[in-house]
């Protein structure tokens, strides 16, 4: 096989892996939502964080004892961001549905990309994304403003995740910082998870759905990201991640009976198009995350 053929094969594997990780992420969110009636969104997040840390920490083996004070503070902040982001997103999913919640969250990396670019095209993308948000919001008597607000909190948390990873990536090698933050977040959720399990006594199906969220929405996408980012450019990876809101809406419709109207679909399309276009704008300064690549500007999902 020629070098071009090997490169093409690696690119195909990278694209397939990135899309597989994205699909797994949204299936994990859907799995977690099936456990909401018994243990609630916070209980699902607790189980998800603990499961993710149990898998991630033995694999990465971060050298926690070697971390300095300058390295610890962004790690602790990232752990707080993980907790805020996942709780706000899962409560939003419970209130406004998977598709709309994920689309609101996706505004976070989009905002970082647009603010980093500062070109005429990025301004047009910002207007398009704003129109998409308005289309989804559409003030009505039945609008769940709390759910929308929580989705935007998740978006701000995702933006903070990107910026914190820029700092962590410059201070801690590899993915040790992200793994450590995931472990700290899981430790904080241990008493919450214990309380929820003791007071609700969930059945096997509920536990399986919650554990599935930890594996499908955390571990699998994390590994898939690492594999994909070694084979495809960061901007292509980010464009592929733009499909997250679309997959979330489709999975919500097929598995959770959450059907969106035409206007909501138009809003999702506007936001996805704005993100993909922003990543094609030349001259966007890269961020240096702790995930082995300059990809956080491209918007990979914060899986742990």
């Amino acid at each position: 096989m020629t070098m071009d053929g090997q490169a093409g094969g690696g690119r195909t594997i990278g694209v397939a892996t990135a899309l597989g990780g994205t699909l797994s992420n949204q299936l994990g969110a859907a799995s977690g939502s099936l456990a909401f009636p018994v243990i609630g969104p916070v209980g699902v997040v607790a189980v998800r964080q603990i499961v993710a840390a149990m898998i991630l920490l033995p694999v990465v083996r971060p050298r926690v004892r070697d971390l300095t004070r300058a390295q610890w503070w962004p790690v602790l902040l990232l752990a707080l961001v993980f907790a805020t982001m996942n709780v706000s997103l899962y409560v939003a999913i419970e209130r406004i549905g998977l598709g709309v919640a994920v689309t609101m969250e996706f505004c976070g990396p989009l905002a970082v990309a647009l603010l980093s670019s500062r070109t005429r095209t990025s301004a047009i993308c910002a207007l398009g994304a704003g129109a998409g948000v308005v289309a989804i919001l559409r003030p009505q008597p039945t609008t769940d403003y709390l759910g929308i607000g929580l989705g935007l909190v998740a978006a701000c948390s995702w933006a903070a995740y990107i910026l914190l990873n820029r700092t962590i990536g410059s201070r801690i090698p590899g993915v040790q910082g992200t793994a450590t933050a995931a472990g700290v977040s899981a430790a904080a959720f241990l008493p919450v998870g214990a309380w929820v399990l003791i007071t609700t006594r969930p059945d096997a199906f509920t536990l399986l759905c919650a554990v599935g969220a930890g594996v499908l929405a955390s571990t699998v996408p994390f590994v898939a990201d690492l594999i994909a980012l070694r084979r495809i450019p960061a901007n292509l990876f980010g464009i592929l991640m733009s499909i997250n809101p679309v997959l979330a809406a489709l999975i919500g419709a097929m598995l959770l009976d959450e059907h969106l109207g035409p206007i909501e679909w138009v809003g999702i399309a506007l936001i996805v198009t704005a993100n993909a276009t922003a990543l094609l704008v030349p001259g966007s300064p890269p961020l240096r995350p702790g995930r082995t690549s300059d990809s956080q500007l491209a918007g990979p999902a914060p899986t742990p």
Side-chain angles (χ1 to χ4, degrees):
M1 183 180 291
T2 65
M3 293 296 294
D4 289 342
Q6 291 176 346
R11 189 183 183 92
T12 300
I13 293 173
V15 169
T17 304
L19 292 176
T22 302
L23 177 61
S24 178
N25 195 8
Q26 301 311 325
L27 287 173
S31 174
S33 68
L34 295 176
F36 288 170
V38 178
I39 62 176
V42 176
V44 172
V45 171
V47 174
R48 168 183 163 166
Q49 294 294 97
I50 294 168
V51 170
M54 288 175 62
I55 297 174
L56 186 60
L57 290 177
V59 172
V60 177
R61 295 183 179 180
R63 298 178 180 178
V64 178
R65 294 181 180 180
D66 296 337
L67 295 181
T68 65
R69 181 176 180 180
Q71 293 172 324
W72 263 115
W73 76 258
V75 167
L76 294 176
L77 285 178
L78 186 59
L80 178 61
V81 165
F82 280 151
T84 304
M85 177 171 53
N86 288 323
V87 170
S88 58
L89 175 63
Y90 274 55
V91 176
I93 290 173
E94 183 184 42
R95 299 183 68 94
I96 60 178
L98 182 61
V100 174
V102 170
T103 303
M104 290 292 98
E105 184 196 33
F106 205 72
C107 292
L110 175 57
V112 173
L114 295 177
L115 291 173
S116 299
S117 180
R118 297 181 183 177
T119 63
R120 181 177 299 179
T121 303
S122 68
I124 296 173
C125 291
L127 290 174
V133 172
V134 171
I136 292 174
L137 291 179
R138 284 187 309 142
Q140 304 174 64
T142 57
T143 299
D144 190 329
Y145 292 104
L146 178 57
I148 294 292
L150 289 169
L152 294 176
V153 169
C156 294
S157 299
W158 193 345
Y161 167 89
I162 294 171
L163 299 175
L164 280 170
N165 259 312
R166 178 182 183 180
T167 301
I168 291 175
S170 66
R171 301 183 184 184
I172 304 174
V175 295
Q176 291 190 49
T178 303
T180 303
V184 172
S185 180
F189 273 107
L190 272 176
V192 177
W195 173 258
V196 169
L197 294 178
I198 292 172
T199 56
T200 61
R201 296 184 180 181
D203 54 25
F205 176 76
T206 299
L207 285 175
L208 181 63
C209 289
V211 171
V215 175
L216 293 174
S218 292
T219 308
V220 172
F222 188 86
V223 174
D225 284 1
L226 294 178
I227 294 173
L229 287 168
R230 286 176 169 83
R231 290 171 170 79
I232 58 177
N235 272 24
L236 174 56
F237 180 84
I239 292 170
L240 293 173
M241 292 301 97
S242 298
I243 202 174
N244 264 294
V246 177
L247 282 178
L250 290 174
I251 290 172
M254 291 186 294
L255 301 183
L256 304 177
D257 199 28
E258 298 172 352
H259 299 284
L260 302 179
I263 295 180
E264 283 84 2
W265 276 108
V266 169
I268 291 174
L270 285 171
I271 293 173
V272 169
T273 301
N275 184 79
T277 304
L279 295 173
L280 294 173
V281 175
S284 297
L287 298 178
R288 291 177 57 82
R291 264 211 188 167
T292 74
S293 136
D294 293 338
S295 64
Q296 292 303 350
L297 183 60
T303 51

